[in-house]
Amino acid sequence: MKNLIGIDQDKAIILTNELNQLLADYQVFYQNLRGFHWNIKGREFFELHLKFEEFYDDAVIKIDEIAERILTLEGEPLHTFTAYVNHSDIKEEKGITNGIEGVQIVVKNFSTIILKERQILALAAEADDEGTVALMSDYISQTEKTLWMLNSYLQ
């Protein structure tokens, strides 16, 4: 059977589960970024304070888009902190004040996210879900560029 937008229901359920995982990852990542933004100290403060804000502003947009995609696929997005922490492959960070350490964690978190985005892209392609394919393709392109830039910053 197909859902309202013409995707096989069983495949849509699988996609919804994977998108919820990505949603949880982004929610924990978002909160980590807020903490880095607030608590970073040192010579890179002004630069990194703004960069972390840029990242969390982008993350909050993606969080909303992912939740809406889940709803479009007729699923229910996770929406509690407990669910986010329980489903996320990204761990909570606290007490990070060193800028380089914060950037290293951001790189690690983005690396986790891009792997999940690639998995979802493949599943969406198999399900003929062009909406999710397009979303993940855009995210992957952005994340790749961001990872390149952050890696250059760390060298």
Side-chain angles (χ1 to χ4, degrees), residues 2 13 15 17 20 22 26 30 39 53 57 75 79 87 90 97 104 109-110 113 126 137-138 145 150 155:
K2 305 239 182 216
I13 289 168
L15 280 166
N17 291 337
N20 262 320
L22 182 62
Y26 261 109
Y30 169 84
N39 296 305
E53 182 175 12
D57 283 345
H79 53 274
H87 287 85
I90 293 176
T97 59
Q104 290 169 334
N109 290 175
F110 269 131
I113 285 170
E126 289 175 22
S137 183
D138 288 346
K145 185 174 182 180
L150 289 170
Q155 292 185 8

Side-chain angles (χ1 to χ4, degrees), residues 4-154:
L4 184 64
I5 62 170
I7 307 295
D8 178 272
Q9 286 182 343
D10 292 334
K11 290 180 180 180
I13 289 168
I14 293 167
L15 280 166
T16 296
N17 291 337
E18 295 298 317
L19 285 165
N20 262 320
Q21 170 80 44
L22 182 62
L23 178 63
D25 288 339
Y26 261 109
Q27 286 283 20
V28 174
F29 182 48
Y30 169 84
Q31 198 57 48
N32 286 346
L33 290 165
R34 293 302 300 237
F36 301 157
H37 170 78
W38 292 327
N39 296 305
I40 219 70
K41 294 181 179 10
R43 294 178 194 238
E44 301 94 6
F45 171 80
F46 291 106
E47 178 183 6
L48 291 177
H49 182 75
L50 292 174
K51 185 51 75 175
F52 293 141
E53 182 175 12
E54 177 187 319
F55 289 156
Y56 73 67
D57 283 345
D58 181 65
V60 79
I61 291 167
K62 286 181 170 73
I63 287 164
D64 191 56
E65 291 173 343
I66 294 164
E68 289 177 352
R69 190 66 198 164
I70 291 167
L71 290 163
T72 301
L73 291 168
E74 300 179 3
E76 180 180 353
L78 299 175
H79 53 274
T80 66
F81 288 114
T82 301
Y84 299 145
V85 171
N86 288 340
H87 287 85
S88 180
D89 288 328
I90 293 176
K91 68 176 192 140
E92 296 175 301
E93 301 289 347
K94 68 178 192 174
I96 305 299
T97 59
N98 179 281
I100 297 301
E101 184 180 3
V103 172
Q104 290 169 334
I105 292 167
V106 169
V107 166
K108 181 179 170 188
N109 290 175
F110 269 131
S111 294
T112 298
I113 285 170
I114 201 168
L115 289 175
K116 178 55 67 179
E117 290 169 344
R118 289 186 197 287
Q119 291 170 352
I120 293 169
L121 177 71
L123 290 170
E126 289 175 22
D128 294 324
D129 178 2
E130 183 59 33
T132 303
V133 166
L135 193 64
M136 291 303 107
S137 183
D138 288 346
Y139 289 2
I140 290 166
S141 294
Q142 292 170 7
T143 306
E144 287 174 342
K145 185 174 182 180
T146 300
L147 280 167
W148 159 65
M149 291 179 166
L150 289 170
N151 188 54
S152 294
Y153 179 85
L154 289 172

